[in-house]
Amino acid sequence: MSAKTKSDGLNDTKRALLEAGIKLMRVRGYSATTVDDICAEAKVTKGGFFHYFKSKEDIAREAAAYFTAEKSKEIMGAAFRKLPDPLARIYGRLEFVQDYFRSAKQINRGCLVGAFAQETAITYPHLKEACRLAFTEWTKDFEVDLAEAKALYAPKADFEPVKIARLYLSIFQGSLIMAKTEDDTDALIENITEFRRYLISLMGEGTVRDQKQMKTAGKA
Amino acid sequence: MSAKTKSDGLNDTKRALLEAGIKLMRVRGYSATTVDDICAEAKVTKGGFFHYFKSKEDIAREAAAYFTAEKSKEIMGAAFRKLPDPLARIYGRLEFVQDYFRSAKQINRGCLVGAFAQETAITYPHLKEACRLAFTEWTKDFEVDLAEAKALYAPKADFEPVKIARLYLSIFQGSLIMAKTEDDTDALIENITEFRRYLISLMGEGTVRDQKQMKTAGKA
DNA sequence: GCGCTCATACAGACTAGTTGGTATGTTGAA
DNA sequence: TTCAACATACCAACTAGTCTGTATGAGCGC
């Protein structure tokens, strides 16, 4: 039956096609990426492509889901995740992302979901839905930590975790766009710093001093 | 020579092409918009199109500039512009944008510059440059007010106007993306509210009470 | 173990329609 | 008469998707 499936149930060829599609579409976008391009990149012929995907839109939908899962896994596996304190996780997350973009100063690809949202949200309802799901998942993931931290450190603070999580995701997506036009990630890193400052002002200055120690402890 | 040129030196046909191009590309993006589509929308033939633009990329570049100028004009002509107080102009600007998206709750098009930045920044250097210029112009426009307000009300405050301006533009662009996937502008409006709260925390709470009066005065 | 069947997993040529761009007009005003 | 301002027919290259063919291996009766 299936040749060589892996843990996630994906065949090698299909995975190669998905990863090629993601790689190309993150750079060129949906419309400018052709099926032939994807086939060439994945070293698969047209026959192979249409054996696994019934259309170009189909691979885009699966690519969005694959990309989202991949990024979620990256976040789930990061060191800050293991911190017991929710506020430490929050600041740890921000540093994690900043470090990520500090090491890759030049940006030569963007977020696949962001690209699809821009390009296809209005014209391809199915892709829009895939983007919405991804954004919801990422928002929720951050919101949980925010809610927990608020309950623990600033129960009376005047902010809604879900709104702050959405603000963060918007800043991130918007910064990625601007990073593309500026060829560097400085503004992205700066914007996260500003966001952190806002968070501190919401949570209360008092929570910061404690975090400094927890952070260094968590890094070990 | 030229048939019926207007104040900005643009012929009616060329303007129609530019506006058609903008209208379509804001919805479908660059690659998915064809020259024929633009011609049909503008009721101009291919010959007319290539009389005014030497390529598709060419109209995109001019469209970006046209769009940027158009938006700058909208901002320049808004009521908040005439406010003498810089801080009042800042909050007035935020309200202006929020009102704009409150009246158009459903979003069926995005920012042309944001779309180009996403889709073409890496593959079309000329378009990237056009986007960079637009972002720089918009950032500068806001930065001026921020610097003036800071000098006047919070000279010792710890923030750099240019960074806050860039943060705002990122939030705006990112929120537009998310608005597309959610079919409404709620998050966009909310994010601006959060940004305003951050600004207040930077400028100092003391500056808010005064603004309430100035704002209502400015609206009259 | 051996041939047979059959489904999966591709390979690659082909096609109908599209796309950006061109070549060759025509028209009307100066 | 000339030139800008279009109009129209046309083209080569490309594009998503199809069709037919084939290799491979699993399952099965014997």
Side-chain angles (χ1 to χ4, degrees):
Chain A
M1 217 173 175
S2 57
K4 10 185 173 163
T5 55
K6 291 207 172 167
S7 58
D8 55 359
L10 279 184
N11 172 310
D12 278 353
T13 305
K14 187 170 186 181
R15 181 192 317 278
L17 284 166
L18 281 173
E19 286 177 357
I22 290 171
K23 179 178 176 184
L24 296 178
M25 288 180 177
R26 282 178 78 176
V27 173
R28 310 180 193 174
Y30 175 76
S31 295
T33 302
T34 72
V35 173
D36 284 322
D37 289 340
I38 299 174
C39 290
E41 176 76 29
K43 295 189 202 325
V44 172
T45 59
K46 270 269 184 72
F49 181 96
F50 283 100
H51 176 69
Y52 289 104
F53 305 101
K54 66 178 213 285
S55 68
K56 185 186 170 185
E57 192 182 343
D58 192 38
I59 195 184
R61 225 170 42 231
E62 288 209 41
Y66 187 92
F67 180 82
T68 307
E70 208 177 41
K71 289 295 157 190
S72 289
K73 247 180 268 174
E74 270 178 52
I75 295 272
M76 295 297 250
F80 75 82
R81 273 279 166 186
K82 281 138 203 153
L83 297 174
D85 183 76
L87 198 57
R89 280 204 299 279
I90 289 171
Y91 295 127
R93 176 193 300 258
L94 300 184
E95 284 216 2
F96 172 75
V97 174
Q98 284 184 315
D99 283 344
Y100 183 89
F101 286 100
R102 260 190 277 262
S103 62
K105 272 198 75 72
Q106 273 249 355
I107 215 159
N108 51 359
R109 66 219 150 114
C111 171
L112 187 73
V113 179
F116 282 180
Q118 265 288 20
E119 201 184 339
T120 69
I122 299 171
T123 36
Y124 299 82
H126 293 306
L127 292 182
K128 170 169 75 177
E129 184 57 18
C131 294
R132 207 182 53 75
L133 281 174
F135 285 152
T136 304
E137 181 179 325
W138 288 332
T139 302
K140 188 74 198 169
D141 182 62
F142 191 25
E143 182 194 346
V144 168
D145 279 350
L146 286 166
E148 210 178 315
K150 189 190 176 192
L152 198 62
Y153 290 104
K156 288 179 181 170
D158 178 30
F159 70 89
E160 292 177 47
V162 63
K163 287 184 181 175
I164 304 303
R166 276 204 287 253
L167 174 68
Y168 171 68
L169 192 52
S170 296
I171 290 175
F172 182 78
Q173 291 290 334
S175 300
L176 267 180
I177 288 186
M178 297 191 64
K180 274 188 172 183
T181 74
E182 281 163 28
D183 279 321
D184 69 64
T185 56
D186 293 352
L188 169 50
I189 293 165
E190 272 303 328
N191 282 342
I192 294 180
T193 297
E194 297 292 345
F195 174 74
R196 185 187 0 248
R197 299 218 297 162
Y198 181 46
L199 250 186
I200 291 170
S201 89
L202 289 176
M203 289 285 183
E205 304 283 343
T207 58
V208 184
R209 201 168 28 262
D210 313 330
Q211 289 307 316
K212 291 221 170 149
Q213 303 147 342
M214 304 196 81
K215 224 163 49 186
T216 43
K219 273 200 173 173
Chain B
M1 215 173 177
S2 57
K4 2 172 180 176
T5 55
K6 289 205 172 169
S7 58
D8 54 0
L10 279 185
N11 170 312
D12 280 352
T13 305
K14 186 168 185 182
R15 183 193 315 278
L17 284 166
L18 281 173
E19 285 176 358
I22 290 170
K23 180 178 176 184
L24 295 178
M25 289 180 176
R26 281 178 78 178
V27 173
R28 309 179 195 174
Y30 176 75
S31 297
T33 302
T34 71
V35 172
D36 285 322
D37 288 341
I38 298 173
C39 291
E41 176 74 29
K43 295 191 204 322
V44 171
T45 59
K46 269 264 185 74
F49 181 96
F50 283 100
H51 177 69
Y52 288 105
F53 305 101
K54 67 179 211 283
S55 67
K56 185 186 171 186
E57 193 181 341
D58 191 39
I59 195 184
R61 226 170 41 230
E62 287 209 40
Y66 186 91
F67 180 82
T68 307
E70 205 177 44
K71 289 295 156 190
S72 288
K73 248 181 268 172
E74 269 178 53
I75 296 272
M76 295 298 253
F80 75 83
R81 272 278 165 187
K82 281 138 205 154
L83 297 174
D85 183 78
L87 198 56
R89 281 203 298 279
I90 289 171
Y91 295 128
R93 176 194 298 259
L94 300 183
E95 282 213 4
F96 173 75
V97 174
Q98 284 183 315
D99 283 344
Y100 183 88
F101 286 100
R102 261 191 276 263
S103 63
K105 272 196 75 72
Q106 274 247 356
I107 215 160
N108 51 0
R109 65 220 152 111
C111 170
L112 187 73
V113 180
F116 282 0
Q118 265 288 18
E119 202 184 337
T120 69
I122 299 171
T123 36
Y124 298 82
H126 293 305
L127 293 182
K128 170 170 75 175
E129 185 57 18
C131 294
R132 207 182 54 76
L133 282 174
F135 286 152
T136 304
E137 181 179 326
W138 288 333
T139 301
K140 189 74 199 173
D141 182 62
F142 191 25
E143 182 194 346
V144 168
D145 279 350
L146 285 166
E148 209 178 317
K150 189 191 175 191
L152 197 63
Y153 291 105
K156 289 180 181 171
D158 177 31
F159 71 88
E160 293 177 46
V162 63
K163 287 184 181 176
I164 304 303
R166 275 204 288 253
L167 174 69
Y168 171 68
L169 192 53
S170 297
I171 290 174
F172 182 78
Q173 290 290 335
S175 300
L176 267 180
I177 288 186
M178 295 191 66
K180 274 188 171 182
T181 72
E182 280 163 27
D183 279 321
D184 68 64
T185 57
D186 292 353
L188 169 52
I189 293 165
E190 272 303 329
N191 282 341
I192 293 180
T193 297
E194 297 293 344
F195 174 75
R196 184 187 0 249
R197 298 219 299 162
Y198 181 45
L199 251 186
I200 291 170
S201 89
L202 290 177
M203 289 284 183
E205 303 284 343
T207 58
V208 184
R209 198 165 37 261
D210 313 330
Q211 288 307 314
K212 289 220 172 150
Q213 305 148 341
M214 304 196 82
K215 225 161 50 186
T216 43
K219 273 197 175 175

